[in-house]
Amino acid sequence: MDIAKEKFRHVGKDNEKGELITRKSDSFWKDVWRRLSGNKAAMFSLVFLVLLLIMAIVGPMMTPQSYNVNDLMNTNQSPGKEHWFGTDSLGRELWDRVWIGARVSIAIGFMAAIFQTIIGLIIGGIAGFYGGRLDMFIMRFIDVMISIPYLIFVILIMVIMGSGIVPIVIAIALTGWLEMARLVRGQIMQLKNEEFIISAVSLGAGSLRLIFKHLIPNTLGVVIVSLTVAIPNAIFAEAFLSFIGIGIKPPMTSWGQLADIGMQVMQVYPYQLLIPAVFISLTMLALQLFGDGLRDALDPKLRK
Amino acid sequence: MENENKKVLEVEDLRISFDTYAGEVQAIRGISFDVKEGEVVAIVGESGSGKSVTSQGIMKLLPTPPARYKSGAIRLEGKDITGYNRKQMEKLKGSKMAMIFQDPMTSLNPTMKVGRQIAEGLKKHTNLSKDKIHSRVIELLTMVGIPDPDDRANRYPHEFSGGMRQRVMIAIALACEPKLLIADEPTTALDVTIQAQILKLMDKLNEETGTSIILITHDLGVVAKMADRIIVMYAGKPVETGNKHDIFYNPKHPYTWGLLGALPRVDTDKKEPLKSISGTPPDLISPPKGCAFANRCEHAMEVCLEHDPAMQEYGEGHTAACWLHHPNAKEYLDQIMEKHSFGVGGEKYANQNAGG
Amino acid sequence: MRTKMLEVEGLKKHFHLSGGGVLKAVDDVSFYVYEGETLGIVGESGCGKSTTGRAVKGIYGITEGKVTFNGKNITSMNKRERKQFARDAQMIFQDPYSSLNPRMTVGELIGEGIDIHGLMRGKKKVKRIYELLDLVGLNKEHINRFPHEFSGGQRQRIGIARALAVDPKFIVCDEPISALDVSIQAQVINLLEDLQREFQLTYLFIAHDLSMVRHISDRVGVMYLGKLIEMASTEELFTNPMHPYTKALISAIPVPDPIQEEKRETIYLKGDLPSPMNVPSGCPFRNRCPIATKECAEEVPAFEEKTDGHRVACIHV
């Protein structure tokens, strides 16, 4: 090659460039979002869930009828132009009832899941962080609780507190936190042996700093994933309770209760069962897929 | 180096990239070399230099995607195996070429007795009878220095220590007498006293069976002990190749100078500071336009930042890619050669040459 | 006379395993570190060198024995003394990938010690972090990046800056270079040496790489299965090793010099390292030792001074 001689002037090393990082900086959560947004199923689910949420808010306002007003002139009307989702045996607009039911189901799902997460995070965190006898005591207690059939537990609570949204949330959360506590404890135990925790201890970090700066931020991923799994579980639990008749009482409604009523007329008016059943299934599916996507996005092994 | 001309493996201008979200990582940016019969070729480099990708690329162990073969030819005993599919490679692996890894535990099946794992390859690639296979398994275990082989063949991998597992891996690799053994950091996970045993074993096997070895390592001590020929890689490319004496006593590339200068010695007492190479290797998503080492090179010239130097020959089999040896840079090169001695124990080499 | 900054007497650290066994990770180890020196501790995996480092830093409780730092017993310090000790004694870890909290930025990581010990805040703190980044050879704009964006060597330097932020006097370097590339190892070692000179630091340098230990240490101790088996000044230990294990260890390291390598004689040890769960009676090394005799099984050899400052635990020396 022919290269001019002055190009051979000595310039030496370039310290700045030698340490340069050329890739652009991404925080952990940005990185997670990048991977999540690449997951088609998770993104479809997210869109579905957002639409569902919007419809739960505006849906009932789109028709002149109300979810709890009987119209005995128009009972059991099939879905069509007049009545988008048809009407039930008391002539109530199913369209309105489905969205009102969505509000109830989603609210219960979220609240129950959040409550059980908070309880599980605190108790599991304490067990994992302090370890020793306290940990053993808490874990044995959880073992005993888990061995009690969950339905007995829920029915007991419902008997004591009566039916309604609040007792259902409490009943679901009080049984759901057990798994969460186990999970969090396992995470904390594992993290406690990580070098960065030892490094913080060695710097003289106190318990509060360890918990809030080091342990919780690093368990958050796992917790969020199990939260997204807990929501559909809670929705399903509510649907099940309402379906067997110990959940939400009319005229208030939920998807489970709609399905229960639809069951009774299933052979004559199948749409009354089909519509709430489809909503329950699709929502469960969407939440599961989104949860899966989130787990993959958070998995540090895929991180590069 | 008895069979001088018989080449077991030839690699020509191999280029492999990985497609990631951030762009194309050019892990190997063109490497050519060959391995002759009975020869030990060491590929030295730091993490990210492409030495492991090269070996996995030859063995077709890289998942595609994200890996992508951009160009190049791989020939095994003269036969082009570049386009071989998985099934064809499966046939070659074990019979013609084999590989051992840094962590033997991940490449051994934990639920299968060691003897059966060694026998598997024999069943697949030979049509020996059951008894013959068994006696061959015992022979192999004895050869790699596992005491009480009859008993050991009936044990599971977790009952072996790290060093013993690596011996088992070597026995599996050598079961069908491959022409070529690729050893990817075979002793990195082992303690030094165990490393010494394994290196001795590999040396013995190379001599006795004539199997060629590609030794991938970052440890220049291991290289000095084992290698016939050395390829020094940096940022996905070889920067210098040569025999032991070329590389250790007469290195041409500043990166090789840096590597040798950065090593403390266990056998001498030199208290002077180590000559470190500052900075970090470049990100191969956007490899620099010129020489990849220029940003960390004390002797970088303007030309280095603009043009990537080509491999030049400096003696038989001794090549390096560096602008310092261009005639236009002679003045500067003479200056620095006067001031420093590069390589290890330069004076010893001179004595040896004069004496021998 | 030189002051002893750290004194370790009869240190034992046993772990009770869930299966019921006892792992004697460190078993009766005594040594001291002079102010301003580097004491190297070498040994193979499972010899207890890292456990020793952590026990000395007060990360684990001690099973038996006494660790004294600047004249104070670290297990009987009051709250204020403990905090001061947490500041004076720092640690650098082996794995630069797991020793930095992945959710914190470089600035937060380096500033953590400053926050914990309430040294400075606001602009002053930021200025100090910039100083520290510069000291370890990193750029200012790295302050807002996350650990995963850095290479191993850069991360290790972040770890060093993190330890330096609180002006320590003593640093336990727990295999700080074994996860790094050769050229990067030299960077980190040179940096540690520069910092030692600049801030009069005392190091306990734990490693399995004998050549690096020879380079950086003033004195060296060799550990085998939880026990110190030889200790001497670096020069003495490498030129005149007495314990058969030390001899084998030194000879087993290949030298990056082909001609010398060919001339050197390697002592090959029999078999593998025994599990630390199952240490042989008497001398722990006897079942691999080329010169072992019947007597070696009888009692644990005393760790005695054979020549001036050169201590060895072997009855045949």
Side-chain angles (χ1 to χ4, degrees):
Chain A
M1 209 187 302
D2 203 26
I3 296 165
K5 187 147 191 184
E6 52 289 2
K7 289 281 181 199
F8 285 85
R9 195 169 54 83
H10 177 235
V11 290
K13 64 188 168 190
D14 186 334
N15 278 334
E16 280 282 311
K17 276 204 183 137
E19 297 287 356
L20 201 66
I21 301 176
T22 42
R23 292 188 201 193
K24 67 179 196 311
S25 176
D26 268 345
S27 78
F28 176 74
W29 294 110
K30 246 194 199 158
D31 215 24
V32 168
W33 172 248
R34 180 185 57 72
R35 242 176 288 122
L36 187 65
S37 53
N39 183 332
K40 276 196 190 119
M43 288 324 279
F44 269 121
S45 303
L46 187 63
V47 170
F48 173 82
L49 292 169
V50 169
L51 283 179
L52 187 75
L53 225 70
I54 293 171
M55 283 312 286
I57 295 165
V58 302
M61 302 172 202
M62 291 165 74
T63 56
Q65 294 90 343
S66 172
Y67 76 99
N68 57 1
V69 173
N70 301 353
D71 180 358
L72 297 176
M73 299 300 287
N74 287 308
T75 57
N76 295 329
Q77 297 288 314
S78 297
K81 253 193 188 154
E82 290 279 300
H83 310 280
W84 290 335
F85 281 177
T87 61
D88 68 2
S89 57
L90 293 174
R92 293 175 296 199
E93 199 64 35
L94 221 50
W95 170 269
D96 291 64
R97 289 185 71 75
V98 161
W99 299 122
I100 294 290
R103 285 184 193 179
V104 173
S105 290
I106 293 170
I108 288 177
F110 269 86
M111 281 199 294
I114 288 171
F115 274 133
Q116 72 185 51
T117 302
I118 292 173
I119 302 173
L121 196 61
I122 292 171
I123 296 185
I126 289 172
F129 185 71
Y130 291 102
R133 265 162 184 261
L134 185 66
D135 171 48
M136 201 196 74
F137 178 75
I138 291 175
M139 292 324 286
R140 289 304 84 77
F141 176 72
I142 289 176
D143 289 345
V144 170
M145 292 287 284
I146 281 180
S147 67
I148 299 173
Y150 131 96
L151 206 57
I152 293 180
F153 203 71
V154 172
I155 291 171
L156 210 67
I157 292 172
M158 306 287 290
V159 167
I160 296 168
M161 298 190 61
S163 60
I165 294 182
V166 177
I168 290 181
V169 168
I170 291 176
I172 296 173
L174 277 186
T175 50
W177 68 271
L178 301 163
E179 282 301 327
M180 182 66 85
R182 273 189 175 171
L183 183 85
V184 171
R185 171 186 174 266
Q187 279 283 311
I188 300 271
M189 296 279 251
Q190 200 188 334
L191 281 174
K192 267 198 336 190
N193 290 322
E194 291 276 340
E195 279 196 340
F196 71 85
I197 298 293
I198 296 173
S199 160
V201 171
S202 128
L203 260 180
S207 303
L208 283 180
R209 171 176 286 273
L210 283 180
I211 292 169
F212 289 103
K213 274 256 164 183
H214 296 281
L215 294 171
I216 290 183
N218 283 288
T219 40
L220 224 49
V222 181
V223 169
I224 287 174
V225 168
S226 55
L227 184 71
T228 58
V229 179
I231 294 171
N233 285 347
I235 290 178
F236 191 76
E238 181 278 325
F240 175 70
L241 291 175
S242 297
F243 186 75
I244 61 170
I246 57 170
I248 301 290
K249 290 276 183 283
M252 211 356 123
T253 191
S254 75
W255 286 346
Q257 194 218 20
L258 284 174
D260 178 31
I261 295 170
M263 252 280 277
Q264 294 160 15
V265 292
M266 183 175 74
Q267 272 158 341
V268 205
Y269 308 112
Y271 67 93
Q272 288 189 23
L273 172 65
L274 214 60
I275 291 171
V278 163
F279 272 97
I280 294 175
S281 314
L282 281 181
T283 307
M284 300 275 291
L285 182 69
L287 280 164
Q288 291 285 2
L289 287 177
F290 182 71
D292 278 353
L294 206 55
R295 176 173 29 230
D296 291 346
L298 286 163
D299 192 338
K301 270 178 231 147
L302 297 171
R303 217 169 141 68
K304 197 170 174 201
Chain B
M1 286 158 267
E2 302 83 70
N3 301 296
E4 277 203 19
N5 293 319
K6 214 166 166 208
K7 288 174 182 167
V8 174
L9 180 82
E10 289 164 274
V11 174
E12 219 179 274
D13 195 35
L14 186 64
R15 285 167 200 266
I16 297 177
S17 284
F18 290 89
D19 294 312
T20 69
Y21 77 90
E24 178 194 342
V25 178
Q26 304 175 27
I28 306 182
R29 305 185 298 141
I31 178 170
S32 306
F33 67 97
D34 50 54
V35 181
K36 298 190 184 77
E37 199 158 82
E39 196 178 31
V40 179
V41 174
I43 303 182
V44 206
E46 302 177 275
S47 41
S49 64
K51 59 185 193 301
S52 279
V53 180
T54 304
S55 64
Q56 289 168 12
I58 293 169
M59 290 297 276
K60 296 273 163 68
L61 292 175
L62 300 166
T64 48
R68 181 153 53 88
Y69 287 78
K70 288 181 71 184
S71 80
I74 304 164
R75 282 187 291 274
L76 187 70
E77 293 187 298
K79 209 170 153 216
D80 193 337
I81 61 164
T82 323
Y84 269 32
N85 60 28
R86 180 173 270 188
K87 225 174 167 181
Q88 289 167 304
M89 278 313 285
E90 207 54 51
K91 246 184 158 171
L92 281 185
K93 278 181 208 167
S95 66
K96 294 266 178 192
M97 50 203 229
M99 190 159 177
I100 55 175
F101 299 88
Q102 176 174 343
D103 183 2
M105 201 53 196
T106 54
S107 24
L108 286 170
N109 181 346
T111 62
M112 205 196 258
K113 283 176 183 162
V114 158
R116 274 190 61 200
Q117 299 195 44
I118 301 174
E120 262 206 337
L122 290 166
K123 272 185 213 147
K124 218 188 301 178
H125 301 293
T126 64
N127 31 23
L128 291 174
S129 68
K130 238 180 159 184
D131 287 346
K132 284 241 173 78
I133 286 181
H134 180 75
S135 55
R136 173 81 178 134
V137 167
I138 302 300
E139 186 191 315
L140 282 161
L141 284 171
T142 318
M143 185 171 82
V144 297
I146 289 180
D148 201 1
D150 278 300
D151 172 59
R152 285 301 181 135
N154 285 319
R155 291 182 179 271
Y156 292 94
H158 70 91
E159 298 175 87
F160 288 71
S161 67
M164 285 295 163
R165 279 183 212 138
Q166 197 59 286
R167 285 170 193 264
V168 171
M169 276 309 296
I170 293 174
I172 293 174
L174 295 181
C176 300
E177 296 173 332
K179 290 279 173 217
L180 178 69
L181 175 69
I182 300 181
D184 189 352
E185 304 266 7
T187 57
T188 304
L190 305 175
D191 283 314
V192 275
T193 54
I194 311 296
Q195 165 173 295
Q197 297 169 350
I198 298 288
L199 292 181
K200 186 182 170 192
L201 171 67
M202 286 177 59
D203 202 33
K204 189 187 98 181
L205 294 173
N206 170 247
E207 237 158 69
E208 286 175 7
T209 64
T211 304
S212 310
I213 298 178
I214 297 180
L215 179 68
I216 313 265
T217 181
H218 67 276
D219 187 331
L220 285 162
V222 172
V223 172
K225 196 182 174 90
M226 303 284 294
D228 297 318
R229 247 166 357 104
I230 300 162
I231 299 166
V232 183
M233 281 188 84
Y234 185 78
K237 271 184 172 182
V239 291
E240 183 159 5
T241 66
N243 64 28
K244 269 197 259 203
H245 293 251
D246 299 331
I247 299 290
F248 282 94
Y249 303 122
N250 189 22
K252 295 285 182 197
H253 198 283
Y255 178 65
T256 319
W257 298 346
L259 274 186
L260 294 170
L263 285 176
R265 294 272 294 261
V266 77
D267 62 333
T268 57
D269 188 48
K270 268 196 196 157
K271 274 284 172 191
E272 63 198 59
L274 302 171
K275 295 188 201 98
S276 74
I277 308 175
S278 64
T280 304
D283 190 337
L284 291 179
I285 269 189
S286 45
K289 193 169 118 208
C291 171
F293 187 60
N295 280 332
R296 302 173 72 192
C297 180
E298 271 179 73
H299 310 292
M301 300 172 294
E302 248 168 73
V303 61
C304 306
L305 301 171
E306 288 162 25
H307 303 278
D308 201 5
M311 273 285 187
Q312 292 284 331
E313 189 145 9
Y314 296 98
E316 210 198 317
H318 186 191
T319 60
C322 180
W323 286 119
L324 276 179
H325 304 283
H326 190 275
N328 285 351
K330 191 167 185 315
E331 232 170 278
Y332 178 69
L333 182 69
D334 287 345
Q335 260 177 48
I336 55 171
M337 291 309 265
E338 222 167 85
K339 266 186 272 171
H340 310 275
S341 76
F342 298 106
V344 289
E347 61 284 339
K348 278 176 228 145
Y349 184 57
N351 293 342
Q352 165 103 4
N353 264 5
Chain C
M1 207 189 112
R2 303 174 71 185
T3 15
K4 289 173 183 168
M5 179 170 262
L6 181 84
E7 274 181 272
V8 178
E9 284 166 59
L11 176 70
K12 285 188 187 179
K13 175 66 197 174
H14 298 175
F15 292 99
H16 294 270
L17 302 180
S18 49
V22 177
L23 180 103
K24 297 180 176 176
V26 180
D27 201 27
D28 199 6
V29 162
S30 304
F31 62 91
Y32 47 84
V33 186
Y34 288 121
E35 197 172 323
E37 79 164 346
T38 300
L39 176 71
I41 300 274
V42 285
E44 296 177 282
S45 49
C47 72
K49 55 190 190 299
S50 283
T51 311
T52 305
R54 288 184 180 190
V56 160
K57 176 65 185 78
I59 285 169
Y60 304 134
I62 294 167
T63 310
E64 234 182 278
K66 200 167 117 187
V67 177
T68 320
F69 182 77
N70 274 338
K72 286 196 187 90
N73 186 338
I74 65 160
T75 48
S76 56
M77 285 176 169
N78 64 32
K79 211 177 165 194
R80 242 188 63 213
E81 288 169 333
R82 265 212 305 278
K83 190 136 197 200
Q84 188 62 39
F85 176 62
R87 190 180 159 187
D88 286 343
Q90 285 303 317
M91 198 153 178
I92 298 169
F93 294 85
Q94 171 178 7
D95 183 356
Y97 291 83
S98 68
S99 59
L100 301 174
N101 185 339
R103 303 283 190 278
M104 285 164 91
T105 63
V106 169
E108 287 172 321
L109 284 164
I110 298 178
E112 186 166 33
I114 300 176
D115 290 340
I116 289 173
H117 296 279
L119 303 181
M120 49 186 83
R121 308 152 168 250
K123 271 193 184 145
K124 252 175 123 184
K125 186 179 119 188
V126 177
K127 207 180 134 221
R128 171 81 175 136
I129 293 173
Y130 281 146
E131 259 173 46
L132 288 159
L133 279 172
D134 186 52
L135 198 64
V136 299
L138 291 169
N139 302 348
K140 265 189 183 179
E141 61 267 21
H142 290 157
I143 193 165
N144 287 321
R145 287 185 176 261
F146 287 87
H148 71 262
E149 300 171 52
F150 293 86
S151 66
Q154 289 172 321
R155 288 187 212 202
Q156 200 55 290
R157 283 182 276 153
I158 295 169
I160 294 173
R162 182 173 150 84
L164 284 178
V166 294
D167 306 314
K169 300 191 171 74
F170 173 67
I171 300 182
V172 176
C173 308
D174 185 6
E175 304 229 26
I177 52 161
S178 55
L180 304 177
D181 279 320
V182 181
S183 73
I184 308 296
Q185 288 186 353
Q187 272 178 27
V188 171
I189 288 296
N190 285 347
L191 175 64
L192 286 173
E193 287 183 316
D194 291 345
L195 295 171
Q196 180 167 44
R197 263 191 302 279
E198 198 168 337
F199 303 108
Q200 287 88 48
L201 295 169
T202 305
Y203 291 146
L204 180 66
F205 190 89
I206 297 163
H208 65 261
D209 180 342
L210 268 87
S211 8
M212 213 41 110
V213 166
R214 172 163 202 178
H215 176 82
I216 198 170
S217 312
D218 299 305
R219 288 187 306 127
V220 178
V222 182
M223 281 184 82
Y224 188 79
L225 289 180
K227 290 190 161 58
L228 267 173
I229 52 117
E230 184 159 8
M231 187 171 244
S233 73
T234 307
E235 181 60 36
E236 166 76 10
L237 188 97
F238 282 91
T239 50
N240 183 26
M242 292 189 194
H243 198 285
Y245 176 66
T246 315
K247 285 182 187 166
L249 201 58
I250 293 173
S251 83
I253 295 168
V255 173
D257 185 335
I259 294 168
Q260 289 303 312
E261 180 53 39
E262 220 156 287
K263 285 186 199 154
R264 289 175 86 231
E265 188 135 357
T266 307
I267 303 168
Y268 294 99
L269 291 178
K270 292 177 271 184
D272 286 315
L273 256 125
S275 143
M277 289 285 299
N278 187 12
V279 179
S281 66
C283 172
F285 183 58
R286 68 177 166 83
N287 60 350
R288 296 176 78 198
C289 182
I291 58 166
T293 55
K294 258 201 337 281
E295 292 76 36
C296 295
E298 278 156 20
E299 60 181 317
V300 180
F303 191 42
E304 297 168 327
E305 190 149 346
K306 303 283 172 173
T307 59
D308 191 29
H310 193 153
R311 293 192 289 166
V312 187
C314 177
I315 56 170
H316 294 294
V317 174

